[in-house]
Amino acid sequence: CGMSPAGLPPASLLALAAAALAVAAVAAWRRPRPLREVLFFPSPPCCLEALLAEAPARPCPCPLPRADTSLSRLVRRLLSARRSLDLCIFSFTCPQLARTVHLLHRRGVRVRLVTDAQYMGLPGSQIGRLRRAGIQVRHDQHSGYMHHKFAVVDRRVLITGSLNWTTQAIQSNRENVLVVDDAACVKPFLDEFERIWEEYNPANYSFPKVGH
Amino acid sequence: CGMSPAGLPPASLLALAAAALAVAAVAAWRRPRPLREVLFFPSPPCCLEALLAEAPARPCPCPLPRADTSLSRLVRRLLSARRSLDLCIFSFTCPQLARTVHLLHRRGVRVRLVTDAQYMGLPGSQIGRLRRAGIQVRHDQHSGYMHHKFAVVDRRVLITGSLNWTTQAIQSNRENVLVVDDAACVKPFLDEFERIWEEYNPANYSFPKVGH
């Protein structure tokens, strides 16, 4: 009397059912929420000193608003990097984003930057400045463009979209940036980055023969 | 005798526990797999006749391979549209993609196309051809670019990335296209599309005053 068909006392069965439901609920609750952020541009000019100042600084005296904007959100995402930042950026002229990348480099984050050979030499390009700061930069050697505009933070978070890292694009264009962390999206971009990084290794550059 | 603490016979409790587990398993199994496709370019030239021919056609005599390429995958995704295709494309010169959009229009899919005012007039642009085919097109009136390159299929699938719809970009550039269907990504792009579609309503165009 008091034993169930499975040979267990009924109270154990009730506990078993409750435990199964509890495990399912905890598993659903503990699964980290996937990261999905969409940023649209243009983004109004804003002061990023509070994010980018290296020492806790006095409040910046500039008249720009310290608003939460698409640009400030993008900068925050980049600044979350602790170990690595892999960048594939077609056109890079925005001083604020260059400062962000430089800051990460000084913090010891491993920054690798791939860019387009034709655009890196244009006026306003931040590539030379970043190179002089010691950041590794590689570029294509093709007539086609290295037209990607993506970043991978800590090999875990993908930031991609239509936005070139230019002040013109940030302040004047209709643009989008998508931030996601699911591996099915991130992994192909990491692989593409590694493919390009190797392909653009300076050891592989070819130089036209120069006559005497 | 034979009743559990909850007042149910033990067999019922066992059945209850089994049912709870079965429901959880079926729920996990039936959850549609999220769509995550990443396409990289350049994509080699390929024959798309098998996809784009309106009547079941004889095999195309052209010498191009009928390979599975990033371009053919992009075309397939677009051709999956049954009700609507919302397009925001900065530069649109690729005849194969124009043919894809035109085909959907003729099938009765509601196509809306937003593009950039400066780029739509450049040589090779497909915008005029699509307009003449009866497709609704709207464009900006700004000095900044309408630089988005995204499509939403049936308000459910987002196709976005760095790729302009140009043969140059498809065949020569390093580019990416991401295809996703989770609402947290799709919804903001749908909202952005509707915002732009209204903002670029010709009723809102302003024209410079012309002197006499």
Side-chain angles (χ1 to χ4, degrees):
Chain A
C1 173
M3 296 300 276
S4 73
L8 292 167
S12 308
L13 267 187
L14 190 62
L16 200 69
L21 286 174
V23 164
V26 168
W29 177 73
R30 288 209 48 185
R31 189 184 302 158
R33 283 178 67 89
L35 175 58
R36 305 273 180 276
E37 187 173 17
V38 182
L39 306 174
F40 290 110
F41 296 80
S43 180
C46 63
C47 176
L48 297 175
E49 279 306 309
L51 293 175
L52 295 176
E54 283 184 78
R58 280 163 299 185
C60 177
C62 86
L64 291 173
R66 283 135 196 78
D68 178 30
T69 65
S70 289
L71 177 59
S72 72
R73 284 173 178 235
L74 174 59
V75 167
R76 269 178 214 278
R77 287 285 175 209
L78 295 169
L79 289 177
S80 72
R82 290 293 169 268
R83 292 177 302 283
S84 67
L85 180 65
D86 294 321
L87 297 170
C88 258
I89 306 290
F90 171 56
S91 177
F92 192 157
T93 65
C94 172
Q96 289 168 306
L97 288 171
R99 198 173 151 200
T100 305
V101 170
H102 191 186
L103 178 57
L104 288 169
H105 172 68
R106 280 205 305 280
R107 282 182 185 169
V109 171
R110 184 195 186 199
V111 178
R112 295 185 292 175
L113 170 51
V114 166
T115 192
D116 182 77
Q118 285 136 288
Y119 269 64
M120 72 180 182
L122 295 186
S125 171
Q126 298 288 319
I127 300 298
R129 168 185 165 189
L130 292 171
R131 255 190 174 141
R132 284 190 298 277
I135 290 170
Q136 294 182 76
V137 178
R138 295 184 178 179
H139 59 79
D140 66 309
Q141 252 207 340
H142 310 122
S143 58
Y145 290 135
M146 199 312 292
H147 200 246
H148 288 307
K149 313 102 173 36
F150 72 81
V152 185
V153 174
D154 290 339
R155 303 183 70 79
R156 207 182 52 79
V157 174
L158 170 68
I159 300 171
T160 188
S162 67
L163 183 81
N164 284 303
W165 287 16
T166 71
T167 306
Q168 141 83 20
I170 291 164
Q171 294 187 0
S172 308
N173 291 359
R174 305 297 292 229
E175 304 272 7
N176 64 79
V177 167
L178 190 57
V179 185
V180 296
D181 70 349
D182 63 310
C185 293
V186 180
K187 178 73 165 49
F189 279 85
L190 277 175
D191 293 346
E192 171 77 351
F193 184 87
E194 298 296 345
R195 256 193 313 273
I196 296 183
W197 188 251
E198 273 320 304
E199 184 182 326
Y200 294 179
N201 186 328
N204 300 331
Y205 290 171
S206 63
F207 299 93
K209 286 216 176 75
V210 179
H212 292 275
Chain B
C1 173
M3 295 299 278
S4 73
L8 293 168
S12 309
L13 267 187
L14 190 64
L16 199 69
L21 286 174
V23 164
V26 168
W29 176 75
R30 289 210 48 184
R31 190 185 301 158
R33 283 177 68 88
L35 175 59
R36 305 273 179 275
E37 187 173 18
V38 183
L39 307 174
F40 290 111
F41 296 78
S43 179
C46 63
C47 175
L48 298 175
E49 278 308 308
L51 293 174
L52 294 177
E54 284 184 76
R58 279 163 299 185
C60 177
C62 87
L64 290 173
R66 283 134 196 79
D68 178 30
T69 65
S70 289
L71 176 60
S72 72
R73 284 174 178 233
L74 173 59
V75 167
R76 269 178 213 279
R77 286 285 175 209
L78 295 169
L79 289 177
S80 73
R82 291 292 169 266
R83 291 177 302 282
S84 66
L85 180 64
D86 295 321
L87 297 170
C88 258
I89 306 291
F90 171 56
S91 177
F92 192 158
T93 64
C94 172
Q96 289 168 304
L97 288 172
R99 197 173 151 199
T100 305
V101 171
H102 190 185
L103 178 57
L104 288 169
H105 172 68
R106 280 204 303 280
R107 283 182 185 169
V109 171
R110 184 196 184 196
V111 178
R112 295 183 293 175
L113 170 51
V114 167
T115 192
D116 181 77
Q118 284 136 290
Y119 270 63
M120 72 178 181
L122 295 186
S125 171
Q126 298 289 318
I127 301 298
R129 169 186 164 189
L130 292 172
R131 255 191 175 143
R132 284 190 297 278
I135 290 169
Q136 295 181 75
V137 178
R138 295 183 179 180
H139 59 78
D140 65 309
Q141 252 208 339
H142 310 120
S143 58
Y145 290 135
M146 198 311 294
H147 200 246
H148 288 307
K149 314 103 172 35
F150 73 81
V152 185
V153 174
D154 290 339
R155 303 184 71 78
R156 207 182 51 80
V157 174
L158 171 67
I159 300 171
T160 188
S162 67
L163 182 80
N164 283 304
W165 286 17
T166 70
T167 306
Q168 141 81 21
I170 290 165
Q171 294 187 0
S172 309
N173 291 359
R174 306 295 294 228
E175 304 272 6
N176 64 79
V177 167
L178 189 58
V179 184
V180 296
D181 70 349
D182 64 309
C185 292
V186 180
K187 177 72 165 52
F189 279 85
L190 277 176
D191 293 345
E192 171 77 350
F193 184 87
E194 298 296 344
R195 258 194 310 274
I196 295 182
W197 188 252
E198 272 321 302
E199 185 181 322
Y200 295 179
N201 186 328
N204 300 331
Y205 290 171
S206 62
F207 298 92
K209 287 219 176 74
V210 179
H212 291 274

